[in-house]
Amino acid sequence: MKKAIALVWPHWKFATVSDKPVYPHRGLLLDSARNYLTLDVIKKNIDGMAASKMNVLHWHITDTQSFPLEVPSLPNMTKYGAYGENKVYKPEDVEDLVQYAKIRGVRLLIEIDGPSHAGSGWQWGPEAGLGNLAVCINQQPWRSFCIQPPCGQLNPANPNMYKVLNTLYKDISKMVPDSELFHMGGDEVNLWGQYHTKALAAYDLAVGHNRTSAVVWTSHLTDPDLIQQYFDKNRIAGIWTTDSGGSTTFYTWRNVYENQMYQSSHPLILGGEVCMWGELVDDNNIEPRIWPRAAAAAERLWTNPTTKSSEAETRFFVHRERLLNRGIRAEAEIPGWCVQNDGGCSSYL
Amino acid sequence: MYCVRLHRDGWLTFSVIQGILFQRRDRMKQGELRRALMVVTLLCIFLFIYLYWQQTSKLAPTLIFNYKHVYSSNKKSHTPQWTWECINQRCERRHMKGGGVAPISLATCSMLCGSTQLWPQPTGPVTLGSKAVTFNHHLIEFESTAELPARALLEKAYANFNDSIVSLVEKSEYLKETTEIRRFLIRVTIINSDVVRPKLDADEGYSIVLKTRGNEVVANISASNFFGVRHGLETLSQLIWWDEYANGGMLRVLKGATVQDSPAFFLSGRVLVGMSASKLNVFHWHLTDTQSFPLVVPSVPQLAKTGAYSPDKTYAPDEVRALVEFARVRGIRIVLEVDTPAHAGNGWTWGPQAGLGELAVCVNERPWSLYCGEPPCGQLNPENPNVFVVLEKLYRDLLDLSSENEIFHIGGDEVNLECWAQHLQKASTAYNFTDLHDLWGEFTVKALNKLHSANGDKKIPHANIVVQSWGASQWPDTPDLIADGYRVIISHVDAWYLDCGFGRWRETGEAACDPYRPWQTIYNHRPWQQLQLNKKQILGGEACLWSEQLDEGSLDARLWPRSAAFAERMWTDPPLDMTTFNIQEDVYTRLSTHRDRLVRRGINAEALWPAWCTQNPGMCL
């Protein structure tokens, strides 16, 4: 924020604001595969993003647990993959969401994770005479085959799998037209370097051009010694998201706010994303889990401030009230007394 | 939020109609326009009256409960994609192939498979039949030989039972479907119809015998008193479920079952609907602290007037009374706590103005770290006799509001002696004591005396002092208290504090009590075994949810389903393997079912795990 003077109702004071973000990619990841999220709740989160000037909704829509995205040319995906007939996203739902987000300055980045994190929804291959499209599906004991139950990984040895991917991408590209970005997943798997090359080829075939940038997770494959082999610099935009690395510390809004970006404003760093993985959240508790902490990340990515959370406190709590007013169940970060008595709880003094 | 949306829609309708009329104005004749406007205005007045009526939020004796999916819109009946089969006591999810065998829903499979799906697990023998029948809630009838006053409570409990059943319904047209029975009779037998107040020594046990004869299901619930019956009705409601596959959706009940059950502990503390579903029976309401004083105390109105965050952030006396009634019908007693002498600040500063002198000292004083554990500071003034005059009025009102005559919480934690040392008049009290702990002790004795007076001069015998032990389980507090002969209520911070794990809320310092206590930690805390304590002196336990870092938006998720895990520890008190701390698969299965049950009753309980794990019991351990 460059400059602002408060508007006081009913006496107008004039204000001028000149503003632009430091990072062009300021995202929130939602996971609707571990636990289904209703459209209403997704929209609520988009509202929160709009209020905080975040601009990318990274929708991790499928995983081994479920495949809720209805794919018109592949009805078996949801037939075999959804939790239930009413726990799906129809193409018109996705299109509606794209519009809803667009008006609020948010772009939808859909992720179909692969080759790992793919199980539910891919079981129908043998029945359709296509062979195993995925392997290790729901295999037990799960600890031997994956990081989190149920297991499942696409079968890169089966050319039909890429054909299905192509069809899948084609249908998705119709729901999210003119998408500059597409997330291909790619985390927590060994060995399948070839997968990405072939999957990207399948995508290009689906959309009819090769101008889309594909996003992938960091993985063994993106290590410096391997990355050039499998990922074309001009096609891949890899967003490095901070991984907790298995730690279970809670990140307070202050932790989120004070997270330093690597080498502030390096031209190759597009921005960042806060990730709300869905194992422990659904409609009932997702809003307070995300808000207002995501808003702290929003300022980190827009302003990239050099000051600490203590300087931002007052504004942050006002923003939390703003989110509440807009119908978002943002968490209380501090006793009400502290909000009413500005600076009363800041330090030891 | 629902009301606000209605309100917004109302405005929208009004402006839309106005807009249309405005556009058509030129094409309408004068008289026509006037008539049209009249009609619209009348319509809008009705609409606003209706919306206003909807928005009245006073807690009437009939507390309106917000349902999530009662009679939700009809879903298209597709062929179900999943079916479940009971294999080796566990339900396995299978994909539906077309034609042939009728699909079985997860709920039905679960109820007829290995697990009881009850929470908390009954302590006595349970036998559950292997068949179930469809019914609708209009077929339910209640019969009882109970007399007043229990009968009055029973009527309300029936209504709550009904609500629990209706909350399961997912299809508005289900009443039109044929049912496999004609009548569902619930017959209630109470031995002591005069017990209508929760009592520490009252028997909360019950038994259920459920039988089906022909086209009639009869459930016999018998208990010593209303509170046992209430628990019985709760368990019965858990033997009923929504089968989404039967005729496109129907309620089902087991054809036969017997349950014998009673709790391990008398007290198992906290929030009312979720509590009643989980058989918790004490709501300890920590009403005030230094930050604010929201309780409107009839004989001391200045407390809330000067102490509340705002006039609408108060609890009026009739609201508290309504809540006490609401709780009682659900088998829950409410303990109202106004913490003193510490944890008292905002709300107590009006003394000088009223000519009573300083009622509290160190209020909002800086630097706070010298005078209290957490800002803002505040402690009652032990050398001002008017403090005790006010306390007696306060206690009298609290006893009246809660209708309690058995348990009273006087607070008494975390007194900061430095605050008193620096703020008391030099020439008096402070110098009578070499150790200010004695000043603290004197305050407590005086406060207890005031409680006697407020309670109609009924003295509280020493044996009736119960201490709520909140320190870590490794601290000497709990064992020492028990060794000294006191009875305790356990709330060990390392296991049963639900607010922990969200980092520090101030800029400086450490988080008060990280890390988060997951439900397994809560469930596996069995201090009477781990510390070899005399169970007879343990009245029970309380899970605590302090609110520095939460309010309504996340209250449900912070409490549930973890409080349910605590509830089973206190009701069933299952054995604990202290070498492995292993929790059986069935606990996970039943807790997941219970979580979904809480959600259906309108509680935004936290998700336990990915839904895949609920659909595939035993596969995510």
Side-chain angles (χ1 to χ4, degrees), chain A residues 34-35 65 78-80 82-83 127 140 142 150 250 252 254 279 282 284-285 289 320 329 331-335 337 340 343 345 347-349, chain B residues 68 81-82 95 97 291 309 346 366 368-369 501-502 505-506 509 548-549 551 553-554 558 595 604-606 609-612 615 619 621:
Chain A
R34 271 54 178 261
N35 278 301
Q65 283 88 354
T78 40
K79 210 160 154 204
Y80 281 73
Y83 283 136
E127 241 180 56
Q140 295 276 348
W142 61 266
F250 183 83
T252 63
R254 298 178 192 279
E279 288 88 343
D282 63 9
N284 290 291
N285 62 330
R289 194 61 65 92
R320 187 243 168 186
R329 279 161 49 208
E331 179 83 281
E333 297 289 341
I334 206 165
W337 188 89
Q340 288 191 344
C345 302
S347 62
Y348 287 118
L349 302 172
Chain B
K68 280 199 129 138
Q81 67 186 98
W82 302 115
H95 197 253
K97 317 284 179 191
Q291 282 86 358
Y309 281 139
N346 289 283
R366 315 283 281 269
W368 62 264
S369 48
F502 294 91
W505 51 267
R506 291 189 305 277
E548 283 89 344
Q549 296 170 292
D551 63 8
S554 47
R558 201 63 60 89
R595 185 259 169 181
N604 291 326
E606 190 172 52
W609 52 16
W612 189 91
Q615 289 195 343
M619 294 286 116
L621 298 173

Coordinates of all heavy atoms in Angstrom, one line a residue, chain A residues 34-35 65 78-80 82-83 127 140 142 150 250 252 254 279 282 284-285 289 320 329 331-335 337 340 343 345 347-349, chain B residues 68 81-82 95 97 291 309 346 366 368-369 501-502 505-506 509 548-549 551 553-554 558 595 604-606 609-612 615 619 621:
Chain A
R34 N -9.9 -35.0 0.0 CA -9.9 -35.7 1.3 C -11.3 -35.6 1.9 O -11.8 -36.6 2.4 CB -8.8 -35.1 2.2 CG -7.4 -35.7 2.1 CD -6.9 -35.7 0.6 NE -5.6 -36.3 0.5 CZ -4.5 -35.5 0.5 NH1 -4.5 -34.2 0.4 NH2 -3.3 -36.1 0.4
N35 N -11.8 -34.4 1.9 CA -13.2 -34.2 2.3 C -13.9 -33.3 1.4 O -13.3 -32.3 1.0 CB -13.2 -33.6 3.8 CG -13.0 -34.6 4.8 OD1 -13.8 -35.6 5.0 ND2 -12.0 -34.5 5.6
Q65 N -8.2 -40.4 -2.2 CA -9.4 -40.6 -1.5 C -10.7 -40.5 -2.3 O -11.6 -41.3 -2.1 CB -9.5 -39.6 -0.3 CG -8.6 -40.0 0.9 CD -7.3 -39.4 0.7 OE1 -6.9 -38.8 -0.3 NE2 -6.5 -39.5 1.8
T78 N -16.3 -40.3 -11.7 CA -17.1 -40.0 -10.5 C -17.8 -41.3 -10.1 O -18.1 -41.5 -8.9 CB -18.1 -38.9 -10.7 OG1 -18.6 -39.0 -12.0 CG2 -17.4 -37.5 -10.5
K79 N -18.2 -42.1 -11.0 CA -19.0 -43.3 -10.7 C -18.2 -44.2 -9.7 O -18.7 -44.7 -8.8 CB -19.3 -44.1 -12.0 CG -20.6 -44.9 -11.9 CD -21.1 -45.2 -13.3 CE -21.9 -46.5 -13.2 NZ -22.0 -47.2 -14.5
Y80 N -16.9 -44.2 -10.0 CA -16.0 -45.0 -9.2 C -15.3 -44.2 -8.1 O -14.7 -44.8 -7.2 CB -14.9 -45.7 -10.1 CG -15.4 -46.9 -10.8 CD1 -16.3 -46.8 -11.9 CD2 -15.1 -48.2 -10.4 CE1 -16.7 -47.9 -12.6 CE2 -15.5 -49.3 -11.1 CZ -16.3 -49.2 -12.1 OH -16.8 -50.3 -12.8
A82 N -16.4 -40.8 -6.7 CA -17.0 -39.8 -5.8 C -17.4 -40.5 -4.5 O -17.7 -41.7 -4.4 CB -18.1 -39.1 -6.4
Y83 N -17.5 -39.8 -3.4 CA -18.0 -40.3 -2.1 C -19.5 -40.6 -2.2 O -20.0 -41.5 -1.5 CB -17.8 -39.3 -1.0 CG -16.4 -39.2 -0.5 CD1 -15.8 -37.9 -0.3 CD2 -15.6 -40.3 -0.2 CE1 -14.5 -37.8 0.2 CE2 -14.3 -40.2 0.3 CZ -13.8 -38.9 0.5 OH -12.5 -38.8 1.0
E127 N -12.3 -53.3 -16.5 CA -13.6 -53.5 -17.0 C -13.9 -53.0 -18.3 O -14.7 -53.5 -19.1 CB -14.6 -52.8 -16.0 CG -15.5 -53.8 -15.3 CD -16.4 -53.0 -14.4 OE1 -17.1 -52.0 -14.8 OE2 -16.4 -53.3 -13.2
Q140 N -3.3 -52.7 1.0 CA -2.9 -52.8 2.4 C -1.8 -53.7 2.5 O -1.7 -54.7 1.8 CB -4.1 -53.2 3.2 CG -5.3 -52.3 3.2 CD -5.2 -51.1 4.3 OE1 -4.3 -51.2 5.1 NE2 -6.0 -50.1 4.2
W142 N -1.1 -50.2 4.0 CA -0.8 -49.0 3.2 C 0.5 -48.4 3.5 O 1.1 -47.8 2.6 CB -1.9 -48.0 3.5 CG -2.1 -47.5 4.9 CD1 -2.9 -48.0 5.9 CD2 -1.3 -46.4 5.5 NE1 -2.8 -47.3 7.1 CE2 -1.8 -46.3 6.9 CE3 -0.4 -45.5 5.1 CZ2 -1.3 -45.4 7.8 CZ3 0.1 -44.6 6.0 CH2 -0.3 -44.5 7.3
P150 N -5.9 -43.9 1.4 CA -5.6 -45.1 0.7 C -4.5 -44.9 -0.3 O -4.2 -43.8 -0.7 CB -6.9 -45.5 0.0 CG -7.5 -44.1 -0.3 CD -7.1 -43.2 0.9
F250 N 1.6 -25.5 15.0 CA 0.6 -24.6 14.4 C 1.2 -23.3 14.0 O 2.0 -22.8 14.7 CB -0.5 -24.4 15.5 CG -1.6 -23.6 15.0 CD1 -2.7 -24.2 14.4 CD2 -1.7 -22.2 15.3 CE1 -3.8 -23.4 14.0 CE2 -2.7 -21.4 14.8 CZ -3.8 -22.0 14.2
T252 N 0.8 -19.6 13.6 CA -0.1 -18.5 14.0 C -0.1 -17.5 12.9 O 0.8 -17.5 12.0 CB 0.3 -17.8 15.3 OG1 1.6 -17.2 15.0 CG2 0.4 -18.8 16.4
R254 N 0.9 -14.7 13.0 CA 2.2 -14.0 13.0 C 3.3 -14.7 12.3 O 4.1 -14.2 11.6 CB 2.6 -13.7 14.5 CG 1.7 -12.9 15.3 CD 2.1 -12.8 16.7 NE 1.1 -12.2 17.6 CZ 0.8 -10.9 17.6 NH1 1.5 -10.0 16.9 NH2 -0.2 -10.4 18.4
E279 N -7.5 -33.2 5.1 CA -7.7 -34.4 6.0 C -8.5 -34.1 7.2 O -9.3 -34.9 7.7 CB -6.3 -35.0 6.4 CG -5.5 -35.7 5.4 CD -4.6 -34.8 4.6 OE1 -4.8 -33.5 4.7 OE2 -3.7 -35.3 3.9
D282 N -13.6 -29.9 6.8 CA -14.6 -29.9 5.8 C -15.5 -28.7 6.0 O -15.0 -27.8 6.7 CB -15.4 -31.3 5.8 CG -16.2 -31.5 7.1 OD1 -16.3 -30.5 8.0 OD2 -16.8 -32.6 7.3
N284 N -17.7 -27.9 7.9 CA -18.0 -27.5 9.3 C -16.9 -26.7 9.9 O -17.2 -25.8 10.7 CB -18.1 -28.8 10.2 CG -19.4 -29.5 9.8 OD1 -20.5 -29.0 10.1 ND2 -19.3 -30.7 9.2
N285 N -15.6 -26.9 9.6 CA -14.6 -26.2 10.3 C -13.5 -25.5 9.4 O -12.5 -25.0 9.9 CB -13.9 -27.1 11.3 CG -13.2 -28.3 10.7 OD1 -13.6 -28.8 9.6 ND2 -12.1 -28.7 11.3
R289 N -10.4 -22.2 10.1 CA -9.0 -22.7 9.9 C -8.2 -21.9 8.9 O -7.0 -21.7 9.0 CB -9.1 -24.2 9.4 CG -7.8 -25.0 9.5 CD -7.3 -25.2 10.9 NE -8.2 -25.9 11.8 CZ -8.1 -27.2 12.0 NH1 -7.2 -27.9 11.4 NH2 -8.9 -27.8 12.9
R320 N -10.1 -8.8 10.2 CA -10.8 -10.0 10.6 C -12.3 -9.6 10.8 O -13.2 -10.4 10.4 CB -10.2 -10.5 12.0 CG -10.8 -11.8 12.4 CD -11.5 -11.6 13.7 NE -12.3 -12.8 14.0 CZ -13.1 -12.9 15.1 NH1 -13.2 -11.9 15.9 NH2 -13.8 -14.0 15.3
R329 N -16.6 -17.0 8.6 CA -16.4 -17.3 10.0 C -14.9 -17.3 10.3 O -14.3 -18.3 10.6 CB -17.0 -18.7 10.3 CG -18.5 -18.7 10.5 CD -19.1 -20.0 10.4 NE -18.4 -21.1 11.1 CZ -18.4 -22.3 10.8 NH1 -19.0 -22.8 9.7 NH2 -17.7 -23.2 11.5
E331 N -11.6 -16.9 12.4 CA -11.2 -17.3 13.8 C -11.0 -16.0 14.6 O -10.6 -15.0 14.1 CB -9.9 -18.1 13.7 CG -9.3 -18.5 15.0 CD -9.9 -19.7 15.5 OE1 -11.0 -19.6 16.1 OE2 -9.4 -20.8 15.4
A332 N -11.2 -16.1 16.0 CA -10.7 -15.0 16.8 C -9.3 -15.3 17.2 O -8.9 -16.4 17.6 CB -11.6 -15.0 18.1
E333 N -8.4 -14.3 17.0 CA -7.0 -14.5 17.2 C -6.6 -14.1 18.6 O -5.4 -14.4 19.0 CB -6.2 -13.8 16.2 CG -6.4 -14.2 14.8 CD -5.9 -15.6 14.5 OE1 -5.0 -16.0 15.3 OE2 -6.3 -16.3 13.5
I334 N -7.5 -13.4 19.3 CA -7.0 -12.7 20.5 C -8.3 -12.3 21.3 O -9.3 -12.2 20.7 CB -6.2 -11.4 20.0 CG1 -5.2 -11.0 21.0 CG2 -7.2 -10.3 19.6 CD1 -4.2 -10.0 20.4
P335 N -8.2 -12.1 22.6 CA -9.4 -11.7 23.4 C -9.9 -10.4 22.9 O -9.2 -9.5 22.5 CB -8.8 -11.6 24.8 CG -7.6 -12.4 24.9 CD -7.0 -12.4 23.5
W337 N -10.9 -7.9 24.4 CA -10.4 -6.8 25.2 C -9.2 -6.2 24.4 O -9.0 -5.0 24.4 CB -10.0 -7.2 26.6 CG -9.6 -6.1 27.5 CD1 -10.4 -5.4 28.3 CD2 -8.3 -5.5 27.6 NE1 -9.7 -4.4 28.9 CE2 -8.4 -4.4 28.5 CE3 -7.0 -5.8 27.0 CZ2 -7.3 -3.7 28.9 CZ3 -6.0 -5.0 27.4 CH2 -6.1 -3.9 28.3
Q340 N -10.3 -4.1 21.6 CA -10.9 -2.8 22.0 C -9.9 -1.9 22.7 O -10.1 -0.7 22.7 CB -12.0 -3.1 23.1 CG -13.3 -3.7 22.4 CD -14.4 -3.7 23.4 OE1 -14.3 -3.6 24.6 NE2 -15.6 -3.9 22.9
G343 N -3.2 -2.1 21.3 CA -1.9 -2.1 21.9 C -1.8 -2.6 23.3 O -0.7 -2.7 23.9
C345 N -2.2 -5.5 24.5 CA -1.7 -6.8 24.8 C -0.5 -7.1 24.0 O -0.1 -8.3 23.8 CB -2.8 -7.8 24.4 SG -4.4 -7.6 25.2
S347 N 3.0 -6.4 24.2 CA 4.3 -6.9 24.7 C 4.2 -7.1 26.2 O 3.1 -7.2 26.7 CB 5.3 -5.8 24.4 OG 5.1 -4.7 25.0
Y348 N 5.3 -7.1 26.8 CA 5.3 -7.3 28.2 C 4.9 -6.1 29.0 O 4.7 -6.1 30.2 CB 6.7 -7.8 28.7 CG 7.0 -9.2 28.4 CD1 8.0 -9.5 27.5 CD2 6.2 -10.3 28.8 CE1 8.3 -10.8 27.2 CE2 6.4 -11.6 28.5 CZ 7.5 -11.9 27.6 OH 7.8 -13.1 27.3
L349 N 4.8 -5.0 28.3 CA 4.6 -3.7 28.9 C 3.1 -3.3 29.0 O 2.3 -3.8 28.2 CB 5.3 -2.6 28.2 CG 6.8 -2.8 28.1 CD1 7.5 -1.8 27.2 CD2 7.5 -2.8 29.5
Chain B
K68 N -29.5 -28.3 10.4 CA -28.8 -28.1 9.1 C -29.6 -28.6 7.9 O -29.8 -28.0 7.0 CB -27.5 -28.8 9.2 CG -26.4 -28.0 9.9 CD -25.1 -28.6 9.5 CE -24.2 -27.4 9.1 NZ -22.9 -27.4 9.6
Q81 N -24.0 -45.6 -5.9 CA -22.8 -46.1 -6.5 C -22.0 -47.0 -5.5 O -21.2 -47.8 -5.9 CB -21.8 -45.0 -6.9 CG -21.3 -44.2 -5.8 CD -20.5 -43.0 -6.4 OE1 -21.0 -41.9 -6.4 NE2 -19.3 -43.2 -6.7
W82 N -22.2 -46.9 -4.2 CA -21.5 -47.8 -3.3 C -22.5 -48.6 -2.5 O -23.6 -48.2 -2.2 CB -20.7 -46.9 -2.3 CG -19.8 -46.0 -2.9 CD1 -19.8 -44.6 -2.8 CD2 -18.6 -46.3 -3.6 NE1 -18.7 -44.1 -3.5 CE2 -17.9 -45.1 -4.0 CE3 -18.0 -47.5 -3.9 CZ2 -16.7 -45.1 -4.7 CZ3 -16.8 -47.5 -4.6 CH2 -16.2 -46.3 -5.0
H95 N -18.1 -51.4 -4.9 CA -18.8 -50.6 -6.0 C -20.0 -51.3 -6.4 O -20.0 -52.6 -6.6 CB -17.8 -50.4 -7.1 CG -18.2 -49.3 -8.1 ND1 -18.7 -49.6 -9.3 CD2 -18.2 -48.0 -7.9 CE1 -19.0 -48.5 -9.9 NE2 -18.7 -47.5 -9.1
K97 N -22.4 -52.9 -8.8 CA -22.6 -53.3 -10.2 C -24.1 -53.2 -10.5 O -24.9 -53.4 -9.6 CB -22.1 -54.8 -10.4 CG -20.9 -55.1 -9.7 CD -19.6 -54.6 -10.4 CE -18.4 -55.0 -9.6 NZ -17.2 -54.3 -10.1
Q291 N -10.8 -9.5 31.5 CA -11.1 -8.9 30.2 C -12.5 -8.3 30.1 O -12.7 -7.2 29.6 CB -11.0 -9.9 29.0 CG -9.6 -10.2 28.6 CD -9.0 -11.3 29.5 OE1 -9.6 -11.8 30.4 NE2 -7.7 -11.7 29.1
Y309 N -18.2 -6.0 27.0 CA -17.6 -5.4 25.8 C -18.5 -4.4 25.1 O -18.1 -3.4 24.5 CB -17.2 -6.6 24.8 CG -16.0 -7.3 25.2 CD1 -16.0 -8.7 25.0 CD2 -14.8 -6.7 25.6 CE1 -14.8 -9.5 25.3 CE2 -13.7 -7.4 25.9 CZ -13.7 -8.8 25.8 OH -12.6 -9.5 26.1
N346 N -12.1 -5.7 34.7 CA -13.1 -4.9 34.0 C -14.4 -5.3 34.5 O -14.8 -6.4 34.6 CB -13.0 -5.1 32.5 CG -11.7 -4.4 31.9 OD1 -11.7 -3.2 31.8 ND2 -10.7 -5.2 31.7
R366 N -0.2 -1.4 33.7 CA 1.0 -1.7 32.9 C 2.2 -1.5 33.8 O 2.2 -0.6 34.6 CB 1.1 -0.8 31.7 CG -0.2 -0.7 30.9 CD -0.5 -1.9 30.1 NE 0.3 -1.9 28.9 CZ -0.1 -1.4 27.7 NH1 -1.3 -0.8 27.6 NH2 0.6 -1.5 26.6
W368 N 1.9 -5.2 32.5 CA 1.0 -6.2 33.0 C 1.8 -7.4 33.5 O 1.4 -8.1 34.4 CB 0.0 -6.7 31.9 CG 0.6 -7.3 30.7 CD1 0.9 -6.6 29.5 CD2 1.0 -8.6 30.5 NE1 1.4 -7.5 28.6 CE2 1.6 -8.7 29.2 CE3 1.0 -9.8 31.3 CZ2 2.1 -9.9 28.6 CZ3 1.6 -10.9 30.8 CH2 2.1 -11.0 29.4
S369 N 3.0 -7.7 32.9 CA 3.7 -8.9 33.3 C 4.1 -8.9 34.7 O 4.5 -9.9 35.3 CB 4.9 -9.0 32.4 OG 5.7 -7.8 32.3
G501 N -2.6 -25.3 21.6 CA -2.1 -25.7 20.3 C -2.2 -24.7 19.2 O -1.9 -25.0 18.1
F502 N -2.6 -23.5 19.5 CA -2.8 -22.5 18.5 C -1.8 -21.3 18.6 O -2.0 -20.2 18.2 CB -4.2 -22.0 18.5 CG -5.2 -23.1 18.1 CD1 -5.7 -23.9 19.1 CD2 -5.4 -23.3 16.8 CE1 -6.5 -24.9 18.7 CE2 -6.2 -24.4 16.4 CZ -6.8 -25.2 17.4
W505 N -0.8 -15.8 21.3 CA -1.6 -14.8 20.7 C -1.1 -13.4 21.0 O -1.5 -12.5 20.4 CB -3.1 -14.9 21.3 CG -3.3 -15.0 22.8 CD1 -3.4 -16.1 23.5 CD2 -3.4 -13.9 23.7 NE1 -3.6 -15.8 24.8 CE2 -3.6 -14.4 25.0 CE3 -3.5 -12.5 23.5 CZ2 -3.9 -13.6 26.1 CZ3 -3.7 -11.7 24.6 CH2 -3.9 -12.3 25.9
R506 N -0.1 -13.3 21.8 CA 0.6 -12.1 22.0 C 1.8 -12.1 21.1 O 2.3 -13.1 20.7 CB 1.0 -11.8 23.4 CG -0.2 -11.6 24.3 CD 0.2 -11.1 25.7 NE 1.2 -12.0 26.3 CZ 0.8 -13.1 26.9 NH1 -0.5 -13.4 27.1 NH2 1.7 -13.9 27.4
G509 N 6.6 -13.6 24.0 CA 6.4 -14.7 25.0 C 6.1 -16.0 24.2 O 6.2 -16.1 23.0
E548 N -9.3 -17.3 24.7 CA -8.4 -16.2 24.2 C -8.4 -16.2 22.7 O -8.2 -15.2 22.1 CB -7.0 -16.4 24.8 CG -6.8 -16.0 26.2 CD -7.0 -17.1 27.2 OE1 -7.7 -18.1 26.7 OE2 -6.6 -17.0 28.3
Q549 N -8.4 -17.4 22.1 CA -8.2 -17.5 20.7 C -9.4 -18.1 20.0 O -9.2 -18.8 18.9 CB -6.9 -18.4 20.4 CG -5.7 -17.7 21.0 CD -4.5 -18.6 20.9 OE1 -4.4 -19.6 21.6 NE2 -3.6 -18.3 20.1
D551 N -14.0 -17.7 19.1 CA -15.3 -17.3 19.5 C -16.3 -18.1 18.8 O -15.9 -19.3 18.4 CB -15.5 -15.8 19.3 CG -15.4 -15.3 17.8 OD1 -15.3 -16.2 17.0 OD2 -15.4 -14.1 17.6
G553 N -17.4 -18.6 15.9 CA -17.1 -19.2 14.6 C -16.4 -20.6 14.7 O -16.7 -21.5 13.9
S554 N -15.6 -20.7 15.7 CA -14.8 -22.0 15.7 C -15.1 -22.8 17.0 O -14.4 -23.8 17.2 CB -13.3 -21.7 15.6 OG -13.0 -20.6 16.5
R558 N -13.7 -26.5 17.8 CA -12.7 -26.7 18.9 C -13.2 -27.7 20.0 O -12.3 -28.4 20.6 CB -12.5 -25.3 19.5 CG -11.2 -25.1 20.3 CD -9.9 -25.2 19.4 NE -9.9 -24.2 18.3 CZ -9.3 -23.0 18.3 NH1 -8.8 -22.6 19.5 NH2 -9.3 -22.3 17.3
R595 N -19.3 -38.3 15.4 CA -19.0 -37.0 14.8 C -20.1 -36.6 13.8 O -20.6 -35.5 13.8 CB -17.6 -37.0 14.2 CG -17.2 -35.7 13.7 CD -17.3 -35.5 12.2 NE -17.1 -34.1 11.8 CZ -17.2 -33.7 10.5 NH1 -17.5 -34.6 9.5 NH2 -17.0 -32.4 10.2
N604 N -21.0 -27.9 14.2 CA -19.9 -27.8 13.3 C -18.7 -28.5 13.8 O -17.6 -27.9 14.0 CB -19.6 -26.4 12.9 CG -20.7 -25.7 12.1 OD1 -21.4 -26.4 11.3 ND2 -20.9 -24.5 12.3
A605 N -18.8 -29.8 14.0 CA -17.7 -30.6 14.6 C -16.6 -30.7 13.6 O -16.8 -30.8 12.4 CB -18.2 -32.0 15.0
E606 N -15.4 -30.7 14.1 CA -14.2 -30.9 13.2 C -14.2 -32.2 12.5 O -14.8 -33.2 13.0 CB -13.0 -30.8 14.2 CG -11.6 -30.8 13.5 CD -10.5 -30.5 14.5 OE1 -10.4 -31.3 15.4 OE2 -9.8 -29.6 14.2
W609 N -11.0 -37.1 9.9 CA -10.1 -37.7 8.9 C -10.8 -37.6 7.5 O -11.9 -37.0 7.5 CB -9.8 -39.1 9.3 CG -10.9 -40.0 9.5 CD1 -12.3 -39.8 9.2 CD2 -10.9 -41.3 10.1 NE1 -13.0 -40.9 9.5 CE2 -12.2 -41.8 10.2 CE3 -9.9 -42.1 10.7 CZ2 -12.6 -43.1 10.7 CZ3 -10.2 -43.3 11.2 CH2 -11.6 -43.8 11.2
P610 N -10.1 -38.0 6.4 CA -10.8 -37.9 5.1 C -12.0 -38.8 5.2 O -12.0 -39.8 5.8 CB -9.7 -38.4 4.2 CG -8.4 -38.2 4.8 CD -8.7 -38.3 6.3
A611 N -13.1 -38.3 4.5 CA -14.3 -39.1 4.4 C -14.1 -40.5 3.9 O -14.9 -41.4 4.2 CB -15.3 -38.4 3.5
W612 N -13.1 -40.7 3.1 CA -12.8 -42.1 2.7 C -12.6 -43.0 3.8 O -13.0 -44.2 3.8 CB -11.5 -42.1 1.8 CG -11.2 -43.3 1.1 CD1 -11.6 -43.7 -0.1 CD2 -10.5 -44.5 1.6 NE1 -11.1 -45.0 -0.4 CE2 -10.5 -45.5 0.6 CE3 -9.8 -44.8 2.9 CZ2 -9.8 -46.7 0.8 CZ3 -9.2 -46.0 3.0 CH2 -9.2 -47.0 2.0
Q615 N -15.9 -44.1 5.2 CA -16.6 -45.0 4.3 C -15.8 -46.4 4.2 O -16.4 -47.4 3.7 CB -16.6 -44.5 2.8 CG -17.6 -43.3 2.7 CD -17.9 -43.0 1.2 OE1 -17.1 -43.4 0.3 NE2 -18.9 -42.2 1.0
M619 N -9.6 -49.0 7.7 CA -8.6 -49.0 6.7 C -7.6 -47.8 6.8 O -6.7 -47.7 6.0 CB -9.2 -48.9 5.3 CG -10.0 -50.1 4.9 SD -9.0 -51.5 4.5 CE -9.4 -52.6 5.7
L621 N -6.0 -47.0 9.9 CA -5.5 -47.0 11.3 C -3.9 -46.8 11.3 O -3.3 -47.2 10.3 CB -5.9 -48.3 12.0 CG -7.4 -48.4 12.2 CD1 -7.7 -49.8 12.7 CD2 -7.9 -47.3 13.1

